[in-house]
Amino acid sequence: IVSSQKLKDIEEMLVLCNGKNEKKANIAIMPSTGGMQIVKQAVGRDRFDTFVWCLSEHYQNKKSILYNHCAAAHIEKLQSYLNLFETVYDYCSCVYNLDLEDDKILIDKLIDSGSKPIDCSQRVLEYVLLANEFWHRRIESFQEIGMINPQGG
């Protein structure tokens, strides 16, 4: 049983996490061709970790639910886009500016988290902490390449 204070703390963290959605560290350029952004929105209700898990399933296990959320007219374009990358790590490196070696553990944590529902307060806390870890890493990587104020909006 979770105390009311812990629930309040988790709720505050979730509100702060939500405030980071429109910051530079949360931006990732995705092509409109193939409807990738729509697909990302559709899988897991736009949960980033679930999207990374879906990418992992696509690349590692050759099981892709990504096409389930794509209009038939766009499947060929989506396949073409996804074929640009060899692995989920390659995708995260290119699209999210994560390092193929240094951020492998973070990507693995995203995959693991994305495979699970958020169905209790403990899972909310795990998700928020992981989101903050991801944003912190993105801010670091943007600073490394000289981006001005990656934390800003």
Side-chain angles (χ1 to χ4, degrees):
I1 297 179
V2 179
S3 72
S4 61
Q5 182 58 49
K6 184 165 182 169
L7 284 174
K8 190 175 183 176
D9 292 343
I10 292 171
E11 184 178 8
E12 286 177 21
M13 290 175 71
L14 192 56
V15 168
L16 290 172
C17 190
N18 189 44
K20 294 180 181 177
N21 281 339
E22 295 185 17
K23 302 293 183 189
K24 286 181 185 176
N26 197 45
I27 293 172
I29 306 299
M30 297 176 131
S32 60
T33 305
M36 190 61 157
Q37 185 61 39
I38 294 167
V39 170
K40 181 181 173 289
Q41 168 66 41
V43 297
R45 294 188 163 335
D46 207 21
R47 261 182 58 194
F48 176 66
D49 61 338
T50 300
F51 179 64
V52 173
W53 170 75
C54 288
L55 288 168
S56 174
E57 288 293 300
H58 173 80
Y59 290 111
Q60 292 177 318
N61 299 322
K62 306 300 182 216
K63 297 177 183 175
S64 191
I65 65 168
L66 298 171
Y67 301 120
N68 296 353
H69 302 283
C70 181
H74 299 299
I75 286 179
E76 192 174 305
K77 293 288 186 184
L78 180 58
Q79 286 174 329
S80 177
Y81 172 70
L82 290 171
N83 286 340
L84 293 172
F85 310 98
E86 294 180 23
T87 66
V88 65
Y89 305 102
D90 185 27
Y91 186 96
C92 288
S93 173
C94 183
V95 177
Y96 301 112
N97 202 35
L98 296 176
D99 187 86
L100 285 169
E101 292 180 19
D102 294 339
D103 295 317
K104 186 179 184 308
I105 292 171
L106 173 58
I107 296 167
D108 288 340
K109 285 188 210 177
L110 289 164
I111 293 166
D112 181 58
S113 176
S115 71
K116 303 173 191 171
I118 297 178
D119 55 2
C120 64
S121 58
Q122 182 60 38
R123 282 291 297 129
V124 172
L125 178 60
E126 290 169 8
Y127 178 77
V128 169
L129 292 173
L130 185 57
N132 281 323
E133 182 179 349
F134 169 74
W135 283 321
H136 176 75
R137 181 60 195 118
R138 296 251 358 245
I139 289 167
E140 284 181 342
S141 68
F142 287 144
Q143 287 171 333
E144 289 168 9
I145 61 172
M147 180 184 282
I148 299 169
N149 191 22
Q151 299 178 61

